[in-house]
Amino acid sequence: MREDPRPDPLSLESLSPARLEPGSVALLGGGPGAFDLLTVRALALLRQADVVVVDRLGPARLTDLLDAHVEVIGVGKTPGSHSMRQGEIEQVLVAKALEGKRVVRLKGGDPFVLGRGGEEVLACRAAGVPVQVVPGVTSSIAGPAAADIPVTHRGTAVAVHIVNAHGDLGPADLAALRDPGTTTVLMMGVEWLPRLVAQALLNGIDPATPVAVVQNATTPQQRAVRGTVGTIEEIVRSEGIGFPSVIVIGRTAAEGFLEPESPEAPVAAGALEGSGRQALDAGLEAAGAEAPARTGRVPVLIGCSHGTRSREGRDVLRALLRRIAQHAPGEVREAFVDVQSPDVAAVVAGHAQLTATRTREAESVQAVVVPLLLSLGYHVKDDIGGAVAGRAAIAAAPLGPDPRLAEVMAQRLDEAGLRPEDTVVMAGSGTRDPEGVAQVHEMARLLSEQIGREVTTGFAYAARPSVAEAVAAAHGRSGADCEGRVVVASYVLAPGHFHDLVAAAGADVVAAPLGDHELVAQIALERYETALGA
């Protein structure tokens, strides 16, 4: 029997005419991990490479199958460590191409979906190196799909929101989480899941919202767990789910969504009309779904902190708010003055009507802003005062001065190793407000009573003496021959700019900030109740 001389129309050579020329770079999206999810074009170019610069994610093990003459350069990143900086990766691509090599940059997923592919294209073109881009199957879509989670489904989800989850959720991310018609996919976020959950809950995301986490999607090691915003943190911890994972939040992530007999199954297509938002509205109506509503008449507690660019500081503030929420009679929300969102005025506006529109006297107070600030000043009087003015909201007193804060500071001093011969300076963040300054001095008096020794006061900014001046004066009183140290009690709530100023003031030892502490939460709850006249 004569063989058919015609080429196989489904062969790699027939399907892809792509060429990788010497002195050029091909930026390949390698897909989510499974070898057979690499595109035909990507495979064709990979087989032509002299050099392959490869990430740790995606089909990285494909490089084990390349010819021996191919140079493989691993530049993969892992959480908390980087084997090669982004700028260094770009330098390698350019240098190898300028040597006349055919260079493949093999990336996981799609190079332009949270893959820094655009940066690498720009670097190559700036150096005069020709570069081509091959799209890949993004893990943000394939990861959920591999676990039977459609990111869109007529009548249930009409939009997808993809987030780099390394940092805080932004306003657009929180809006997507609130929208019942949007599926939110959090990439690279499993390590930060406690932070993401805390922020979501403190911004009013329904704790019953379905969540799925898919680890090692499309590979033989794939694992998936499901829960809700309120339960997923513990589920992931107990099941040992780790990196790399995709987090999916929305109604299509519910257990049994694609099981016809499941109570979580979507409305049958025959009950829907139209497409997009029209079908979504019909699906919600057919399912009997309602928008979440506040229960009862208990005023919401808005914990308002000074914003911080410190990730550690934000974590401390949210841990404290979650501790407060465990004992609060109603809902608890986060808000900030300066630096960070959500702004306190916006949060108050979202929970308290304008006073002119109130219809019931019983609802005269709908929100109480509890300043998670330690003394009076501009932020309490102007920012928070302005936020509640003209609305069905009131502002509570700041946390300090209070003897329990002295108790917490004494504990932090003990943890820092305070010795009997040491001199103590209490450092406040600072304010130009005379009442606020007096409150800080009163707090120093309370701390002095608590620890049974003299405590002087310094301020990180605005007021005098500065912390540096107070520390220098304490060193002068101690004398060069004194064995005692100057130890600073940090009268700030969380790590951040003000604590950094305190730490740089020249003391021998600086105690930790007040932080997430049961006594601090207790004071905040009392301020809330006192504001309501309880």
Side-chain angles (χ1 to χ4, degrees), residues 104-233:
V104 158
R105 174 71 169 107
L106 182 59
K107 304 176 75 70
D110 181 276
F112 283 0
V113 180
L114 303 179
R116 298 188 177 182
E119 297 175 38
E120 293 170 6
V121 169
L122 287 168
C124 290
R125 289 178 177 166
V129 173
V131 57
Q132 58 182 302
V133 179
V134 179
V137 178
T138 172
S139 302
S140 60
I141 308 297
D148 268 2
I149 302 169
V151 292
T152 64
H153 189 95
R154 192 161 71 101
T156 304
V158 298
V160 185
H161 184 75
I162 301 170
V163 184
N164 179 337
H166 270 182
D168 277 9
L169 299 170
D173 308 327
L174 293 166
L177 290 172
R178 293 188 187 100
D179 179 10
T182 295
T183 302
T184 301
V185 181
L186 304 176
M187 305 292 289
M188 302 171 285
V190 70
E191 183 180 2
W192 317 115
L193 187 59
R195 171 183 300 141
L196 299 169
V197 167
Q199 189 182 3
L201 292 173
L202 291 169
N203 282 273
I205 304 306
D206 186 352
T209 304
V211 182
V213 182
V214 187
Q215 182 181 13
N216 292 316
T218 76
T219 73
Q221 293 76 38
Q222 176 176 311
R223 301 174 63 201
V225 296
R226 285 176 168 82
T228 66
V229 171
T231 64
I232 195 64
E233 184 180 349

Side-chain angles (χ1 to χ4, degrees), residues 200-467:
L201 292 173
L202 291 169
N203 282 273
I205 304 306
D206 186 352
T209 304
V211 182
V213 182
V214 187
Q215 182 181 13
N216 292 316
T218 76
T219 73
Q221 293 76 38
Q222 176 176 311
R223 301 174 63 201
V225 296
R226 285 176 168 82
T228 66
V229 171
T231 64
I232 195 64
E233 184 180 349
E234 179 56 35
I235 291 171
V236 164
R237 181 166 41 243
S238 64
E239 293 295 325
I241 299 295
F243 180 84
S245 292
V246 174
I247 303 166
V248 192
I249 306 177
R251 293 193 295 149
T252 63
E255 184 76 52
F257 181 78
L258 291 185
E259 298 295 332
E261 304 303 321
S262 168
E264 300 297 336
V267 175
L272 300 175
E273 296 181 2
S275 60
R277 288 283 168 181
Q278 181 184 0
L280 175 65
D281 294 339
L284 287 169
E285 183 178 346
E290 298 181 359
R294 284 187 57 196
T295 58
R297 302 293 183 188
V298 178
V300 62
L301 187 160
I302 300 173
C304 182
S305 311
H306 194 288
T308 175
R309 293 185 176 88
S310 164
R311 180 174 288 178
E312 181 186 1
R314 295 194 297 269
D315 288 347
V316 168
L317 293 172
R318 287 180 177 136
L320 175 61
L321 280 168
R322 292 189 77 179
R323 185 188 294 274
I324 292 168
Q326 292 173 0
H327 306 289
E331 298 175 350
V332 173
R333 297 288 179 266
E334 71 172 3
F336 298 92
V337 291
D338 206 5
V339 178
Q340 197 173 340
S341 65
D343 177 73
V344 62
V347 179
V348 171
H351 290 87
Q353 295 174 305
L354 291 167
T355 50
T357 64
R358 285 182 290 159
T359 58
R360 299 183 185 181
E361 188 62 29
E363 295 179 331
S364 58
V365 178
Q366 298 170 336
V368 178
V369 180
V370 177
L372 300 182
L373 303 165
L374 300 175
S375 59
L376 289 170
Y378 178 85
H379 293 310
V380 174
K381 293 181 176 180
D382 291 71
D383 290 336
I384 296 176
V388 302
R391 292 194 173 272
I394 55 177
L399 299 179
D402 191 287
R404 288 165 292 186
L405 295 178
E407 187 176 339
V408 177
M409 274 194 287
Q411 181 180 326
R412 299 292 182 243
L413 287 169
D414 285 342
E415 294 166 353
L418 181 67
R419 302 192 299 234
E421 64 273 16
D422 292 336
T423 300
V424 176
V425 174
M426 193 195 82
S429 58
T431 176
R432 293 181 177 89
D433 186 284
E435 287 184 272
V437 171
Q439 288 179 332
V440 174
H441 285 299
E442 172 61 14
M443 196 66 241
R445 186 189 67 79
L446 293 172
L447 177 60
S448 177
E449 289 183 357
Q450 179 70 37
I451 63 176
R453 68 177 77 187
E454 180 185 3
V455 174
T456 57
T457 307
F459 296 88
Y461 85 110
R464 303 297 293 269
S466 69
V467 179

Side-chain angles (χ1 to χ4, degrees), residues 81-125:
S81 63
H82 293 260
S83 60
M84 190 177 289
R85 294 183 180 276
Q86 183 62 34
E88 295 171 333
I89 295 172
E90 294 160 9
Q91 291 172 10
V92 168
L93 296 176
V94 169
K96 292 296 181 181
L98 293 178
E99 291 175 9
K101 302 291 180 63
R102 296 172 297 183
V103 182
V104 158
R105 174 71 169 107
L106 182 59
K107 304 176 75 70
D110 181 276
F112 283 0
V113 180
L114 303 179
R116 298 188 177 182
E119 297 175 38
E120 293 170 6
V121 169
L122 287 168
C124 290
R125 289 178 177 166

Side-chain angles (χ1 to χ4, degrees), residues 20-75:
L20 182 58
E21 300 296 338
S24 70
V25 172
L27 189 60
L28 309 186
F35 286 1
D36 51 358
L37 289 177
L38 187 72
T39 66
V40 171
R41 183 182 297 180
L43 182 57
L45 291 169
L46 182 62
R47 292 174 63 178
Q48 300 172 46
D50 300 313
V51 178
V52 177
V53 181
V54 62
D55 281 342
R56 195 177 74 88
L57 298 179
R61 289 181 297 112
L62 264 178
T63 57
D64 297 339
L65 308 179
L66 298 174
D67 290 342
H69 76 275
V70 178
E71 181 183 4
V72 177
I73 302 173
V75 296

Side-chain angles (χ1 to χ4, degrees), residues 481-506:
D481 299 328
C482 181
E483 295 182 359
R485 306 165 301 171
V486 175
V487 179
V488 168
S490 185
Y491 186 48
V492 297
L493 194 57
H497 176 66
F498 295 123
H499 184 68
D500 291 344
L501 292 176
V502 171

